[in-house]
Amino acid sequence: MDFYKLLLTPFIWILNAFYNLTGSYGLALILFAIVVKAILFPFQLKGKKGMIQMNMVSGKMQQLQKQYGKDKERYNQEVQKLYEREKINPMSGCLWSFLPLLILIPLYSIIREPLYYLMNVSRDAIPAIADAVNWGQAAFDAGFIKEAGAAFVDNGYNQLYLASFITNDNLAAVHAVAGEGAKMFAINFDFLGIFDLSRIPQAAFWTVEGGFALFLLPVISAGSSVIFSLISQKTNAVNQKASENTNATMRSMLIITPLISLWIGFPVP
């Protein structure tokens, strides 16, 4: 087992436990997200406190800028004294805010590569599983690849697509080639009978089964980004001067954040 996978083992257990409990990959992911959010909450709260503290002293920093702006050395000294008096670490807001990203990015590997992480299949055995489920033709028929018979390549979201082709009908054949230690099972990607979680949202949603619900997911994600950005703007701007300084930035984020959600949401399952 590689060191990276070893670090993620507790989270692998959690997601597997939720799947065994619910029998639904979608419900398991929702419960998994709640647990991860609870774990990251103290870090995010600390980052929020640091940002609010910085906003609280923004007015005093402007005064120092006016008073010592021409003398950079003196200005930096006075700013440092201000931080010490107010017991503020100027980097705390940024550092604690970025730390969750360093945790979330590795965790996403568990979701993106279910064969390797959830089923404990070695990477060397994954191409054999692709052959067992007739990957080239199945992926072509489903629209995941453009050429029937194309060899399986373990990158991007191909492993997630491959997992969607493992069914109870071919599970025995897959298990035979999965290798020692593998725990194969057919993942239920159907979410409440509404859509298939292994599929990619399409702008032309009428061309895909369950397409309208899939289409709505990135849209809902973008809409929620706007709501949370508005909440963040209100909680960060705790005084009038801070509000004036951050309004321009927050207006930009209100546009950029939803666009990022759409950009991420549409090309991926």
Side-chain angles (χ1 to χ4, degrees):
M1 180 182 295
D2 62 57
F3 181 69
Y4 184 62
K5 187 175 183 178
L6 186 63
L7 287 176
L8 296 178
T9 296
F11 294 97
I12 295 171
W13 289 343
I14 291 172
L15 185 55
N16 260 322
F18 283 144
Y19 181 79
N20 291 331
L21 176 66
T22 63
S24 166
Y25 197 57
L27 294 178
L29 288 180
I30 291 172
L31 294 174
F32 181 72
I34 292 172
V35 170
V36 171
K37 189 69 174 177
I39 293 172
L40 296 180
F41 180 73
F43 302 110
Q44 294 173 322
L45 183 61
K46 201 168 185 66
K48 178 65 71 176
K49 287 181 177 179
M51 294 171 65
I52 291 175
Q53 285 178 321
M54 288 299 296
N55 282 334
M56 290 291 289
V57 299
S58 63
K60 295 179 180 179
M61 290 185 67
Q62 286 182 358
Q63 292 177 357
L64 293 177
Q65 178 68 37
K66 292 177 181 178
Q67 190 172 355
Y68 303 109
K70 294 182 180 180
D71 186 347
K72 295 295 183 183
E73 185 176 352
R74 179 66 185 278
Y75 170 73
N76 290 333
Q77 291 174 353
E78 293 298 326
V79 168
Q80 189 60 39
K81 290 178 182 178
L82 174 64
Y83 289 154
E84 291 174 357
R85 286 197 304 270
E86 301 290 340
K87 298 180 181 180
I88 293 175
N89 180 354
M91 295 299 295
S92 63
C94 295
L95 289 176
W96 289 110
S97 296
F98 279 111
L99 185 59
L101 289 177
L102 300 179
I103 299 173
L104 287 171
I105 292 173
L107 282 182
Y108 191 61
S109 299
I110 300 174
I111 300 170
R112 189 170 61 88
E113 301 179 88
L115 296 180
Y116 181 66
Y117 288 103
L118 297 184
M119 303 183 194
N120 199 37
V121 179
S122 69
R123 295 197 183 277
D124 293 338
I126 292 176
I129 292 176
D131 291 338
V133 300
N134 194 16
W135 159 264
Q137 189 61 49
F140 175 75
D141 291 341
F144 293 149
I145 59 176
K146 296 180 179 179
E147 183 180 349
F152 176 81
V153 179
D154 189 11
N155 60 15
Y157 298 91
N158 282 356
Q159 200 176 124
L160 189 64
Y161 301 147
L162 178 58
S164 71
F165 298 134
I166 298 175
T167 65
N168 290 325
D169 293 333
N170 60 27
L171 188 58
V174 169
H175 205 286
V177 299
E180 186 177 353
K183 301 175 181 178
M184 304 306 301
F185 57 93
I187 297 178
N188 177 19
F189 286 104
D190 179 73
F191 185 65
L192 304 178
I194 303 173
F195 52 77
D196 184 342
L197 287 172
S198 67
R199 290 189 172 273
I200 296 177
Q202 301 289 332
F205 56 82
W206 56 88
T207 63
V208 182
E209 183 180 354
F212 183 63
L214 279 174
F215 172 82
L216 283 180
L217 282 181
V219 175
I220 292 171
S221 175
S224 63
S225 295
V226 173
I227 294 172
F228 287 122
S229 293
L230 287 171
I231 294 173
S232 180
Q233 182 179 4
K234 295 296 184 182
T235 55
N236 286 342
V238 293
N239 60 53
Q240 185 60 36
K241 289 185 178 179
S243 178
E244 293 172 357
N245 292 335
T246 59
N247 270 346
T249 302
M250 292 306 297
R251 278 196 296 268
S252 298
M253 291 303 295
L254 282 174
I255 298 173
I256 295 172
T257 305
L259 290 177
I260 291 176
S261 292
L262 288 173
W263 176 64
I264 293 175
F266 270 105
V268 302

